[in-house]
Amino acid sequence: MDMNVISSPNSEKKGGCTTNCTLANKYLTSLPKKLKDNVVNFALETKKLGQEDPRRIFHALKVGFAITVVSLFYYFQALYNGFGVSAMWAVITVVVVFEYTVGATLGKGLNRMISTCIAGFLGVVAHYLADLSGDTGEPILLALFGFIVASTMTFMRFFPKLKARYDYGLMIFILTFALVAVSGYRDDEVIKMAQQRLSTIIIGSCIAMIICIFISPVWIGAEFHFLIASNIHKLANFLQGFGSEYLKMKDEKSKEEETFRQQYKSVLGTKTTEETMANLASWEPSHGKFKFSHPWKQYLKVGALTRMCAYRVDALNNCLNSDILQVETPEEIQEKMKESCKKLSSELGKVLKEVSLGLKKTKKTATAKTQLRETKKAAHELKMLLQETSLWEKFNLLDVLPAATVASILIDIVDCVENIIEEVHELASMADFKSMDSAVCPENQLSQIIVVGEVTTTDKNNHGPDLKGPTPSVAEPEIKSLQ
């Protein structure tokens, strides 16, 4: 037997210890560098977030200031004597209620105050009714009341309209009723307890709402307004770029020309965001050009129509894919279709830019309807070209199908754009926008728009995620549901 092959347990143990020590030494040696890198990356990420939207910094400072104010209930003995341990509810309320936008803060604050008042009153009533039944019946009645209230309020949260606006209030209703009614079983001072909690919750909500409104406010209504205008502008950019991109050879395409093809994709997935923003905007008071009764539901109709147009634009974009471009379109068809498609696409882009600019400036404009007439003329010319049977009979159907598909989609988009114009005009009338004689549509008129909360940051360099929306027929019921 070869003695070199034999290894003792002690030698294996020593080798393992040496390896572990080496690894531990490497880890400890690299730890300061890793820690430094993490700190640097965190600082760079913090700087990036602050530069993207400085209002985030102000929001953080506002929350800190609100917490400091409500903490006075604990710091000063005179205030603490008046509210006792219940003063902590003011701190909790600020933390829970204070949101980034005014609409979200008001929605939560008002829901919390109203729900606390009603549920607290009912909790006290339930406590006294149960107290009349004696020691044996009191816990039974309290349990029964709690079951009825919790079951009823929970089921009400399934109603779509109630869930959209009052879901948080219904949840707080259950919590407050349970706290007052159940804790009153062991505490005879139930009225004093309910009064203290109600007072501190109202004070905390009011402090959060006042600071949110009067110190660097972020109005979700204004964000929603500019989001809709920006979405329309993105479709306009695509349509104007499509006219020059269509029928180019694959090797002629540059990265700069490809950028416009990605902007519209962020429009496809904005339905949930728009509904949330419209709901929160309805809580906000009158501010700037937006009144308390501003027609936010009309924005949802415009947004739904914009998405329907974006689905058709998505189908148009697929016509620029490499697989479709591999089909060799006959030169005669290409020459005839090129100018007509380019003209119609360009006119559609101009019309949508006029609409987005008027909407952004909250102005009525008749220029879009005037330009739409020219667009319809271009669509009619293209339609007549498609109806020339003598032209199409010369060629194989598969060869001319891509060109005919592009023309058909462009003609369909004309109807979508007309519907958008009508709904935007209706919005301008409902919101009492002032008239604008003429609007010039420069390329970069829409400034950078930063949408907060559940909306992603959008600007001319951010084209949104590669979202794939449903087919056009899926979006059409949205308009009917908003009637």
Side-chain angles (χ1 to χ4, degrees):
M1 181 181 292
D2 190 355
M3 298 302 294
N4 294 329
V5 177
I6 301 175
S7 60
S8 65
N10 291 333
S11 63
E12 290 181 359
K13 194 175 292 184
K14 288 180 181 179
C17 291
T18 304
T19 303
N20 292 335
C21 290
T22 303
L23 294 175
N25 186 43
K26 287 182 179 180
Y27 176 78
L28 292 174
T29 304
S30 63
L31 189 60
K33 184 178 183 301
K34 289 182 178 179
L35 182 61
K36 179 182 177 181
D37 292 341
N38 290 334
V39 172
V40 172
N41 292 334
F42 179 77
L44 292 175
E45 184 69 18
T46 302
K47 181 181 178 181
K48 179 183 177 182
L49 289 173
Q51 288 177 339
E52 286 179 352
D53 189 357
R55 295 174 299 180
R56 294 169 178 167
I57 300 175
F58 287 104
H59 173 69
L61 296 176
K62 288 192 296 183
V63 174
F65 178 63
I67 293 293
T68 303
V69 172
V70 295
S71 297
L72 297 177
F73 290 101
Y74 258 79
Y75 297 152
F76 290 94
Q77 189 65 36
L79 294 175
Y80 182 80
N81 291 337
F83 296 99
V85 182
S86 296
M88 183 55 65
W89 284 98
V91 180
I92 296 173
T93 298
V94 170
V95 174
V96 173
V97 165
F98 210 124
E99 294 288 343
Y100 182 75
T101 62
V102 174
T105 303
L106 286 175
K108 274 195 169 183
L110 294 175
N111 266 288
R112 191 176 183 88
M113 286 193 296
I114 295 172
S115 298
T116 302
C117 290
I118 299 175
F121 173 76
L122 292 179
V124 173
V125 172
H127 169 73
Y128 275 98
L129 290 177
D131 189 49
L132 294 175
S133 63
D135 294 338
T136 304
E138 184 177 3
I140 298 174
L141 279 179
L142 285 176
L144 179 62
F145 289 147
F147 173 78
I148 294 173
V149 170
S151 301
T152 304
M153 293 298 109
T154 302
F155 184 76
M156 289 176 65
R157 294 178 67 188
F158 288 107
F159 287 84
K161 290 184 179 180
L162 292 177
K163 186 174 182 62
R165 286 181 63 82
Y166 307 110
D167 184 67
Y168 180 71
L170 294 172
M171 182 178 64
I172 295 299
F173 188 99
I174 300 171
L175 174 63
T176 304
F177 181 87
L179 287 174
V180 174
V182 175
S183 61
Y185 179 69
R186 297 292 183 183
D187 191 353
D188 293 333
E189 297 182 349
V190 63
I191 295 181
K192 181 180 178 181
M193 176 188 63
Q195 183 181 6
Q196 288 179 341
R197 290 182 181 178
L198 175 60
S199 300
T200 52
I201 286 173
I202 291 177
I203 291 172
S205 298
C206 290
I207 289 174
M209 291 188 291
I210 290 171
I211 292 176
C212 186
I213 292 174
F214 292 102
I215 301 179
S216 185
V218 178
W219 302 101
I220 192 71
E223 302 290 331
F224 184 32
H225 175 87
F226 286 113
L227 173 65
I228 297 297
S230 175
N231 287 344
I232 297 174
H233 191 263
K234 290 174 183 177
L235 299 185
N237 281 340
F238 176 89
L239 290 169
Q240 285 196 322
F242 180 83
S244 57
E245 186 80 358
Y246 181 53
L247 292 179
K248 277 188 177 181
M249 298 300 295
K250 185 176 180 180
D251 55 359
E252 294 179 3
K253 300 182 186 298
S254 63
K255 291 184 179 179
E256 293 182 359
E257 291 174 333
E258 292 290 335
T259 56
F260 78 92
R261 296 178 56 183
Q262 305 299 322
Q263 294 182 16
Y264 79 92
K265 291 185 177 181
S266 62
V267 182
L268 299 175
T270 59
K271 179 182 177 182
T272 303
T273 298
E274 290 174 8
E275 290 176 349
T276 302
M277 295 179 78
N279 173 47
L280 296 178
S282 63
W283 289 101
E284 293 182 339
S286 178
H287 59 280
K289 298 179 181 179
F290 309 103
K291 301 178 182 178
F292 180 74
S293 58
H294 199 72
W296 299 115
K297 287 188 177 181
Q298 184 65 20
Y299 283 88
L300 294 178
K301 294 182 180 180
V302 177
L305 287 170
T306 304
R307 280 191 300 279
M308 289 174 63
C309 187
Y311 297 141
R312 287 156 175 80
V313 165
D314 189 47
L316 200 60
N317 182 52
N318 291 334
C319 295
L320 295 176
N321 290 339
S322 57
D323 293 340
I324 296 178
L325 290 177
Q326 288 177 0
V327 178
E328 293 293 338
T329 305
E331 188 173 345
E332 184 179 352
I333 295 292
Q334 192 178 92
E335 289 298 324
K336 285 182 174 291
M337 296 290 293
K338 184 175 181 180
E339 289 302 320
S340 297
C341 289
K342 185 175 181 179
K343 180 181 178 182
L344 179 56
S345 181
S346 178
E347 290 294 329
L348 286 169
K350 289 179 181 178
V351 172
L352 286 178
K353 281 197 173 182
E354 185 72 28
V355 173
S356 66
L357 182 59
L359 184 59
K360 176 181 177 289
K361 292 186 174 182
T362 62
K363 299 287 186 181
K364 287 182 181 178
T365 173
T367 312
K369 287 190 174 183
T370 303
Q371 291 179 339
L372 183 63
R373 296 192 193 103
E374 298 298 323
T375 305
K376 286 185 174 181
K377 290 181 182 178
H380 180 71
E381 293 175 2
L382 187 58
K383 191 180 293 186
M384 295 300 294
L385 182 62
L386 290 175
Q387 293 175 350
E388 288 185 15
T389 55
S390 58
L391 177 64
W392 302 98
E393 288 175 351
K394 300 178 183 178
F395 307 100
N396 187 350
L397 179 62
L398 294 178
D399 293 336
V400 299
L401 188 59
T405 301
V406 170
S408 177
I409 295 173
L410 283 173
I411 293 172
D412 194 23
I413 290 177
V414 175
D415 294 332
C416 290
V417 171
E418 184 176 12
N419 292 334
I420 292 175
I421 292 174
E422 292 298 330
E423 292 298 335
V424 170
H425 181 74
E426 180 67 19
L427 171 61
S429 299
M430 295 171 66
D432 295 327
F433 290 166
K434 295 181 180 179
S435 298
M436 179 170 59
D437 295 332
S438 178
V440 182
C441 300
E443 291 294 324
N444 298 319
Q445 183 65 36
L446 284 178
S447 59
Q448 177 178 319
I449 302 169
I450 301 178
V451 183
V452 300
E454 296 178 326
V455 183
T456 55
T457 303
T458 59
D459 54 32
K460 63 182 181 180
N461 295 320
N462 185 12
H463 311 306
D466 189 5
L467 301 173
K468 292 186 179 181
T471 57
S473 59
V474 175
E476 291 173 358
E478 289 184 38
I479 303 300
K480 296 180 181 179
S481 64
L482 294 171
Q483 298 299 329

